[in-house]
Amino acid sequence: MRSSTPSPATIRLGTLLQGVRQLVLNDLSHTLKGLVRLILTKPDRIGSIGKTLADQAARYPDRPALAFEGRRWTYRELNEWANRCAWALDAAGIRSGDAVGILLDNRPEVLAFVLGIVKLGAVATLINNQQRGDALAHSLRITRPRLTFVGQECLPALMSLDASERAALCEQWWWDGDEPCPSGLMDARTRLSQSASSNPPHTDLIRLHQPCFHIFTSGTTGLPKASVMSHYRWHRCLAGLGGLGLRLRPDDVLYCPLPLYHNNALTVSWGAAMGAGACLALARKFSASGFWADVQRHQATAFCYIGELCRYLLNQPPSALDRQHSIQRMIGNGLRPDIWDAFSERFGIEHIAEFYTASECNVAFINVLGLPKTTGLCPLSYAVVEVDQETEQARRGRKGHMQRVRTGHSGLLLTEITNRAPLDGYTDSKATDAKVLRDVFSKGDAWFNTGDLVRDQGWHHIQFVDRLGDTFRWKGENVATTEVEGVLSHLPQIEEAVVYGVEVPGADGRAGMAAISLKGESLNGIELAQQLRQHLPRYAVPLFLRVRRSQDVTVTFKYSKVALKKEAYNPSVISDALFVLSPEGYIPMTTALWQALSEGTHRFD
């Protein structure tokens, strides 16, 4: 990836001291509050997300908690809404530990339903509303919700499962929408309207270590995995990422254009707002052209992001709205070093709280000092270790132990699993075990393998570099290559398919590319694109195709991807036919198109 500004390999002492000075002068009291809250948060203590909301509602009953499309809910109103949901679910037989699915677009009902679920000690299963068919069935199968809320906008997703399959995957389906309730579903709004608004006593029995969410992540095994989020980790994010990093005040408004089935929205943004007694302004979806106008309408003072969102905003034509806003702070991950300064300067953002974590990760890094081009620091134990570039595996020495990289160098990020940093993992214990490395530095130790390459910048700071393995990130989403390969292999034109991520100049993450072998003599690019768009989320459809006679495999019959990734879609080193995704379908790679891609001037929708 070409960079317009150099990426700092290390944090200089002068820069570090300047960050400390700004912290002391501007935000020391708020940072100390966040630090104290973080220290006092212990897994075995009584506490939960529902209790935190109830406490804030008692403390700030008339303060705005949530805003959406011209309407606001106070902390009291949001708490009562959640309570009605909790009592309705209790009457339906939902108990502590049960999973309850949520399949809705971004709107306030998601948060109300989540809160009602967790107030009972149940687990809110946040389903990606872009899933269809087999992927949706798999997500339900591995989390086993006893009841699932379905928004009317997600009816096509529900209809991608036949009636018998729906009945087998979930006992009850609750409908939330203005349209009449379809046959076989129960009307959620009617049930909530008939329920009490008082705080349920169940909430006072929940401990922080108990699970609260299922968040789906692609992982490396193909179909989605459900990571388990605990009340403890949610509150650690509230205190660490929110209190230490973003440092909101009660009169702040945090604008959230990200989907609530992502932890960036559900945990980081919502936790930061609730912890400060501030307001979360929720957008139905992100719009690059309408972003700053919407921020202005909400009078937002902060917003959350993923890296690609920032690039979209930077690619918009300059406008008077670029500076006609009240945004002072932003929090998120993936803001690439090559656009960091340009973004900050154009939009006048004073404080960028970049962080690093993952739905299944047991620790988090946060840019407490507001330093440029870093994900910040972590007070808990971690290591950046050497990687074998050919196998993309952590390298072990003669004694079987791993070696930390030198300052300024990149390696695989590992986080130590301890009582203070427990690993919640996935619903599938085998998938969790596969992410744990043992005897890393000494016999008996255990470390979580993040699967990410990071740069050790010194002074306990790191910088995200890339993802290792088969999973890559595109459009802010994790794409599992085996899932895409599975879809391709079932299509009539395809004999074999190997999927991997490749860099695209001017874009964050890696775009999908597939090396395919055909059953026939020629490729029908329009038909293939239509089929893939029907079976895959938009972000998972490969942007590039390479047509090969056969695929290379290792001695263990695994596809060899190292050379494919290096060659990418470069026609000067590839003799195979290359194709690029267009709105109409896959079209042949041309010299002009290759040139535009190389210069970073070609944009994909």
Side-chain angles (χ1 to χ4, degrees), residues 37-111:
R37 181 177 261 171
L38 186 63
I39 292 172
L40 294 178
T41 302
K42 303 289 179 63
D44 291 329
R45 289 184 59 181
I46 291 286
S48 68
I49 298 168
K51 186 176 187 306
T52 296
L53 174 66
D55 290 346
Q56 294 293 63
R59 190 178 293 118
Y60 313 117
D62 299 319
R63 185 175 288 172
L66 179 63
F68 180 78
E69 296 183 351
R71 184 176 174 186
R72 289 196 171 194
W73 290 261
T74 65
Y75 273 92
R76 179 180 60 242
E77 290 170 332
L78 181 60
N79 187 55
E80 290 176 349
W81 190 3
N83 289 340
R84 287 193 293 272
C85 181
W87 284 115
L89 290 172
D90 180 67
I94 299 301
R95 299 293 179 260
S96 180
D98 289 341
V100 177
I102 298 177
L103 181 59
L104 280 83
D105 273 0
N106 248 34
R107 47 190 177 91
E109 286 80 1
V110 175
L111 291 182

Side-chain angles (χ1 to χ4, degrees), residues 525-541:
I526 296 176
E527 181 183 79
L528 180 59
Q530 290 174 343
Q531 292 168 335
L532 289 173
R533 285 165 175 158
Q534 289 173 1
H535 291 88
L536 289 170
R538 188 181 185 88
Y539 60 81
V541 177

Side-chain angles (χ1 to χ4, degrees), residues 97-142:
D98 289 341
V100 177
I102 298 177
L103 181 59
L104 280 83
D105 273 0
N106 248 34
R107 47 190 177 91
E109 286 80 1
V110 175
L111 291 182
F113 295 162
V114 166
L115 283 162
I117 294 165
V118 301
K119 274 176 174 270
L120 295 179
V123 183
T125 299
L126 280 299
I127 302 168
N128 185 328
N129 55 40
Q130 297 186 60
Q131 290 181 354
R132 301 287 186 273
D134 290 343
L136 176 58
H138 173 80
S139 295
L140 294 166
R141 195 174 295 115
I142 63 175

Side-chain angles (χ1 to χ4, degrees), residues 302-359:
F303 74 88
C304 63
Y305 68 88
I306 55 174
E308 194 71 9
L309 180 153
C310 297
R311 194 179 293 276
Y312 288 151
L313 294 176
L314 201 58
N315 286 340
Q316 288 292 301
S319 163
L321 293 177
D322 289 353
R323 289 288 186 129
Q324 291 179 3
H325 58 76
S326 303
I327 297 290
Q328 301 170 355
R329 303 161 186 268
M330 50 190 275
I331 187 167
N333 62 326
L335 180 58
R336 302 294 290 186
D338 61 306
I339 66 168
W340 188 298
D341 292 337
F343 189 91
S344 176
E345 291 166 8
R346 174 173 166 179
F347 300 113
I349 309 297
E350 297 176 5
H351 179 67
I352 300 177
E354 173 85 1
F355 69 86
Y356 170 90
T357 190
S359 297

Side-chain angles (χ1 to χ4, degrees), residues 176-232:
D176 183 80
D178 298 324
E179 298 294 326
C181 182
S183 175
L185 279 69
M186 303 176 187
D187 190 272
R189 294 182 184 182
T190 299
R191 287 174 172 262
L192 264 65
S193 68
Q194 298 170 349
S195 299
S197 61
S198 57
N199 289 320
H202 314 64
T203 310
D204 293 332
L205 304 176
I206 300 169
R207 294 186 180 274
L208 287 172
H209 66 75
Q210 291 179 227
C212 57
F213 308 145
H214 289 145
I215 302 292
F216 290 94
T217 179
S218 294
T220 57
T221 61
L223 288 168
K225 290 198 285 285
S227 64
V228 180
M229 187 80 180
S230 67
H231 292 269
Y232 172 61

Side-chain angles (χ1 to χ4, degrees), residues 233 360-362 417-418 421-425 432-433 435-436 448:
R233 284 178 60 211
E360 66 274 35
C361 190
N362 61 327
I417 302 168
T418 65
L423 180 65
D424 296 322
T432 302
D433 291 342
K435 296 287 285 185
V436 178
F448 175 72

